[in-house]
Amino acid sequence: MGPAVDSMAWAFLPRPSKLVLPRLENAMPAPAPLAALHRDHLRQLTQRYQAALATEQLGGVVLLAGAPAFHFLDDTTASWKPNPHFSLFAPLPDAAGSAVLVPAEGEAVLLHLQPDDFWHAPPKAPRGAWLDALDFKTITSEAARDQEIAQWAAAQRGAVVTLGPGHRDPAGFRARVDFARAQKTPYELACLRAANRLAVKGHRAVQAGFEAGESEFALHLRYLAATDHEDHELPYTNIIGLDERGAILHYHHRRREAGPGESLLIDAGASYAGYAADITRSYARSPGPFQALIDAMDRLQQGLIAQLRPGIAWPAMQSACMGALAEVLVDSGLAMASKEAVLEAGLPECFMPHGLGHLLGIQVHDAGGQLADASGTLAPPPAQHPALRLTRTLEEDVVVTVEPGLYFIPRFLKALREGPHHALLNWPLVEAMTPYGGIRIEDNVRITADGVENFTRDAFAAEA
Ligand code: GLY
Ligand code: MN
Ligand code: MN
């Protein structure tokens, strides 16, 4: 950690290390001074929560970090993530039992629990200039925390609500802050860029491991080492599927045996100060029809990203994706009919039964994707795309994933084979492609005034 770097920027990394520092310094585009951005972020965040408190006529909100749950009849706990509303204010992964208190007026308070416990190492004391933007207090027991919260709540003018596990959801308040969260602050954008840089290190390492013929398990270990993450620090469980396992959308097993390894789908992210990357790449071992499909899906994805700008409704992008996928099915020879007939028969939905993307931020599937407005009106997905997590209209500085796919999923293929559209498909080619599993290409992009900034492609280019 060199003196030229603002200490705050590194204070909340899971494990500050020599590895991480140069990564961020080299980030493309160059990172803005993170400490100043973080202070601005906290001010903006406090204002956002206070505007919601004012509209809902509340005196304050308590954001409980929460705590890990014990396994049934056991004294070990499940892996755990803090309440995302807490994490937006306090980027502390090790904050079980802590809380942030946001008053209707004035500074937010961070109550940081550091129990006097000889069994476990206590959480490290937070440090860094970002604490200037909060009122910060260390507490040593849950009882002391509850007493602090009670005293604080009694001093507020108006009702205080709690947003956290085990409490009645202040749904109206939460909708307002969740809706606003889609548009990222400059600090959040810097963190999402850095998370992409980190994840791409892992993706490059796994690509080399795939070329060397390694197993899913070995590839996963490679990924953890290259990103300097422990398993529980990943924003989501890695999906690393060789061959037919690429067709399992959320494949979480890791086979120890390697072969045959003709194809690989890797969907793996990284976390920077709590912000997530969510990146997928697909590979074929040899040139041929499956590699040609990967290339076609890459062009399809880039074509969709080129259409993104403020004012675009995401469900329209899903429809555009289905249209482009119908073309890929026809051009590749998988479907033997016109694009119109393929669309009419609903074939694209059978080859890509998930949404085109979702909001990304402090959560990998960031909240608020199906809100029509700040008052909590829901915008449910259209009937033909029930899996769509995002139904909003894009605005500047919203960050989304763009992740079209094409999979050979046995249960959908069986239904097609036995259904009325049987004759539309080229079954020998479908059968030849099924052992390769599937393809997904997933980038993380920020909507700008007239297009996008592609964090993922920038990171791959910087890493090349
Ligand atoms: N990695 C989960 C997703 O792509 O949404
Ligand atoms: Mn993903
Ligand atoms: Mn995703």
Side-chain angles (χ1 to χ4, degrees), residues 63-348:
L63 308 171
L64 295 177
F70 284 93
H71 293 124
F72 183 56
L73 300 181
D74 205 312
D75 62 357
T76 58
T77 60
S79 79
W80 173 78
K81 287 186 201 309
N83 170 0
H85 292 272
F86 172 89
S87 298
L88 286 170
F89 282 88
L92 305 168
D94 193 12
S98 294
V100 167
L101 321 177
V102 187
E105 282 174 29
E107 272 192 353
V109 184
L110 168 60
L111 296 179
H112 189 245
L113 179 61
Q114 284 186 286
D116 187 9
D117 173 4
F118 62 89
W119 287 103
H120 305 99
K124 286 203 192 74
R127 56 198 172 86
W130 63 278
L131 292 166
D132 296 351
L134 296 169
D135 196 357
F136 169 62
K137 220 173 212 178
T138 301
I139 37 163
T140 55
S141 70
E142 289 176 3
R145 174 203 60 202
D146 293 345
Q147 201 178 356
E148 286 283 345
I149 291 175
Q151 275 171 9
W152 177 87
Q156 306 309 309
R157 287 198 299 259
V160 169
V161 289
T162 300
L163 204 177
H167 289 263
R168 198 162 74 87
D169 186 18
F173 171 81
R174 189 164 62 79
R176 291 188 186 280
V177 288
D178 280 348
F179 186 77
R181 190 165 130 185
Q183 277 181 296
K184 270 48 188 182
T185 64
Y187 165 77
E188 292 179 301
L189 296 171
C191 290
L192 289 162
R193 261 181 222 115
N196 265 260
R197 287 296 310 275
L198 213 44
V200 163
K201 294 262 186 213
H203 277 260
R204 284 292 190 217
V206 165
Q207 193 180 359
F210 171 62
E211 282 161 16
E214 291 181 0
S215 69
E216 291 164 355
F217 181 67
L219 295 173
H220 173 66
L221 296 183
R222 254 188 197 259
Y223 190 88
L224 294 179
T227 55
D228 194 26
H229 277 46
E230 291 196 51
D231 225 320
H232 72 267
E233 292 170 327
L234 295 170
Y236 56 92
T237 308
N238 277 354
I239 298 167
I240 297 181
L242 291 169
D243 303 310
E244 82 290 353
R245 300 299 171 104
I248 302 173
L249 299 182
H250 285 170
Y251 173 62
H252 289 154
H253 296 278
R254 282 151 199 155
R255 288 179 292 191
R256 265 39 176 204
E257 66 278 14
E262 287 301 325
S263 63
L264 169 70
L265 185 151
I266 165 170
D267 183 344
S271 180
Y272 186 89
Y275 286 83
D278 179 10
I279 300 175
T280 311
R281 288 293 182 267
S282 301
Y283 302 102
R285 183 163 306 287
S286 329
F290 190 71
Q291 180 63 58
L293 275 179
I294 294 176
D295 295 341
M297 290 305 292
D298 195 62
R299 287 193 296 273
L300 178 155
Q301 192 242 23
Q302 292 292 284
L304 293 173
I305 289 176
Q307 296 173 39
L308 300 179
R309 57 184 53 76
I312 298 269
W314 194 254
M317 291 307 304
Q318 181 78 18
S319 301
C321 177
M322 291 298 116
L325 190 54
E327 274 169 28
V328 169
L329 292 173
V330 173
D331 294 348
S332 64
L334 283 166
M336 299 182 301
S338 67
K339 175 186 168 187
E340 291 68 30
V342 165
L343 274 172
E344 178 68 26
L347 292 192

Side-chain angles (χ1 to χ4, degrees), residues 315 318-319 322 349 352 354-355 380-389 391:
Q318 181 78 18
S319 301
M322 291 298 116
E349 285 84 355
M352 181 186 152
H354 63 73
Q384 69 272 36
H385 306 304
L388 207 53
R389 291 176 194 272
T391 52

